[in-house]
Amino acid sequence: MAKQADATAPRAPLSRERVLRAAITLADESGVETLTMRGLARTLGVEAMSLYNHAANKDDILAGMVDAVVSEINDAVAEIDVPATEWRTAMRRRILAARAILLRHPWAPGVIESRTTMSPTMLRYFDSLIGLFREAGFSTDLTHHAMHALGSRALGFTQELYDDSQELGPDETAALLQQLAGEYPNLTAMVSEITHDADTTLGWCDDQFEFEFALDLILDGLERLRDAA
Amino acid sequence: MAKQADATAPRAPLSRERVLRAAITLADESGVETLTMRGLARTLGVEAMSLYNHAANKDDILAGMVDAVVSEINDAVAEIDVPATEWRTAMRRRILAARAILLRHPWAPGVIESRTTMSPTMLRYFDSLIGLFREAGFSTDLTHHAMHALGSRALGFTQELYDDSQELGPDETAALLQQLAGEYPNLTAMVSEITHDADTTLGWCDDQFEFEFALDLILDGLERLRDAA
DNA sequence: ACCTGAACACCGTTCAAGT
DNA sequence: ACCTGAACACCGTTCAAGT
């Protein structure tokens, strides 16, 4: 039935590029857990087994997807020009640029963490950060520790431990807090005090602010250690 | 064939407790990716479907496993007695105790991160950390930011981005570094300098040291912010 | 109340067959 | 060289049947 344009307009031939692009779009829109070989093939108008002509297996596809996203990051970082003297702002800009891109690919953090080997593009990104530290006068050792301390934050993400996406209304929030006050007194006190000052729902964490807060905390500490040496 | 003790010694009856314990042992030993309902049932000498009498589904089992591990952490933390005045050492001891337990359950970090809702035991643990901050004179706001800045580190883990478990010999290391020096000059320079000073393999990162380094960096920063207020 | 066997609706992947 | 259909070896889970 979907065979209008067949011989005359041969549907763009499959390629690794096209497979990966489709996989990323699909994961962006409906989550990586719904990314199946059969489903991916369907969006490409092809049978599942055809994918194996352009990727070794599903793992290879996931690797390619990560690689594409990190390439995006490398491209964005390449366009940032901050005088080499201002390492702090240069570092900040790069990491926040990475974060901005990862926010558009919510599946990426999980997939990145689940992979054991680092892709060449990832190595390239980290190499650039290391270069920035070294130029800024950080010792080799301190640079090494700095990279570990940043961890996944260097790539612009931290896996949150809880999900505050299920926003509760102010009434529900108040009721829930009251109910939990006995068991978790400190937590409920903190939440109610903060939500009282800000808006009145439970969706009370500004992820961007918290990310930058922790990032600055770490960069401050590293700078201090560098200057103390 | 494995039916020696049947009627007289009725194999301890199944229970949620027993299912979870078996699941944890199995995941500890062979990884969570090999934890299947059928496999878990086999180790319990039962059919897969019997498990559904004691757990709603596999997700419920994973939730129970996390809960058991965090309970272990809560128990360990409860035994730490540090004078309330020394918040730094108290915080450090708790978090490192959590880490020690998670090291025995390598699957736990991944499962914890993949869950969206926080279990009561987890809330209890975080409640205690929040209490520690508050008693130490941290404002509500700063305490909130502190918990975010610690993130999963509060529970004793950070998901590493690469796997240095595949240790290379010194010759292989040297060869690999030489080969990669062109593409990743800063990275290879750092690695070769550090491995030269320490042992000569590529398994060159002391995870415990790096964990404590980053933890202290964050705690230092937080203390400074508290005192600046 | 608890356990079981067969079955269902999915996976990723192999293989021989098509063009 | 690329695509396909049928099949295989797995999943988690449902359901009717056993005791």
Side-chain angles (χ1 to χ4, degrees), chain A residues 113 116 118 120 127 130 140 144-145 148 159 162-163 184-187 193-194 204-205 209-210 213 224, chain B residues 113 116 118 120 127 130 140 144-145 148 159 162-163 184-187 193-194 204-205 209-210 213 224:
Chain A
E113 285 189 340
T116 52
M118 248 205 267
D127 190 77
I130 292 168
T140 304
H144 178 209
H145 299 322
H148 274 281
Q159 205 87 342
Y162 46 90
D163 176 21
Y184 318 109
N186 302 305
L187 183 58
E193 198 166 324
I194 290 173
W204 49 292
C205 299
F209 180 89
E210 302 299 346
F213 177 90
R224 215 176 323 260
Chain B
E113 285 190 340
T116 51
M118 249 206 268
D127 190 77
I130 292 169
T140 304
H144 178 210
H145 300 322
H148 274 282
Q159 206 87 340
Y162 46 90
D163 176 20
Y184 318 110
N186 301 306
L187 182 59
E193 198 167 324
I194 290 173
W204 49 292
C205 299
F209 180 89
E210 302 299 347
F213 178 89
R224 212 174 326 258

Side-chain angles (χ1 to χ4, degrees), chain A residues 112-124 126-128 130-132 134 140-155 157 159-163 166 180 183-191 193-194 197 204-207 209-210 213-214 217-219 221-222 224-225, chain B residues 112-124 126-128 130-132 134 140-155 157 159-163 166 180 183-191 193-194 197 204-207 209-210 213-214 217-219 221-222 224-225:
Chain A
I112 289 172
E113 285 189 340
S114 72
R115 322 217 90 254
T116 52
T117 60
M118 248 205 267
S119 74
T121 51
M122 202 119 88
L123 288 172
R124 205 141 56 80
F126 283 116
D127 190 77
S128 87
I130 292 168
L132 209 48
R134 296 292 285 130
T140 304
D141 269 341
L142 188 51
T143 299
H144 178 209
H145 299 322
M147 293 302 293
H148 274 281
L150 284 173
S152 73
R153 204 179 298 272
L155 263 171
F157 72 93
Q159 205 87 342
E160 291 291 333
L161 284 183
Y162 46 90
D163 176 21
Q166 68 244 27
L180 297 177
E183 295 168 87
Y184 318 109
N186 302 305
L187 183 58
T188 50
M190 184 179 83
V191 173
E193 198 166 324
I194 290 173
D197 293 353
W204 49 292
C205 299
D206 180 338
D207 288 342
F209 180 89
E210 302 299 346
F213 177 90
L217 196 69
I218 292 171
L219 295 182
L222 292 172
R224 215 176 323 260
L225 286 176
Chain B
I112 289 171
E113 285 190 340
S114 71
R115 321 216 91 254
T116 51
T117 60
M118 249 206 268
S119 72
T121 51
M122 202 117 90
L123 288 172
R124 205 141 56 79
F126 282 116
D127 190 77
S128 88
I130 292 169
L132 210 49
R134 296 292 284 130
T140 304
D141 269 341
L142 187 50
T143 298
H144 178 210
H145 300 322
M147 294 302 295
H148 274 282
L150 285 173
S152 73
R153 205 180 296 272
L155 262 172
F157 72 92
Q159 206 87 340
E160 290 291 334
L161 284 183
Y162 46 90
D163 176 20
Q166 68 245 25
L180 297 178
E183 295 168 88
Y184 318 110
N186 301 306
L187 182 59
T188 50
M190 184 180 82
V191 173
E193 198 167 324
I194 290 173
D197 294 352
W204 49 292
C205 299
D206 181 338
D207 287 342
F209 180 89
E210 302 299 347
F213 178 89
L217 196 67
I218 292 170
L219 295 182
L222 292 172
R224 212 174 326 258
L225 287 177

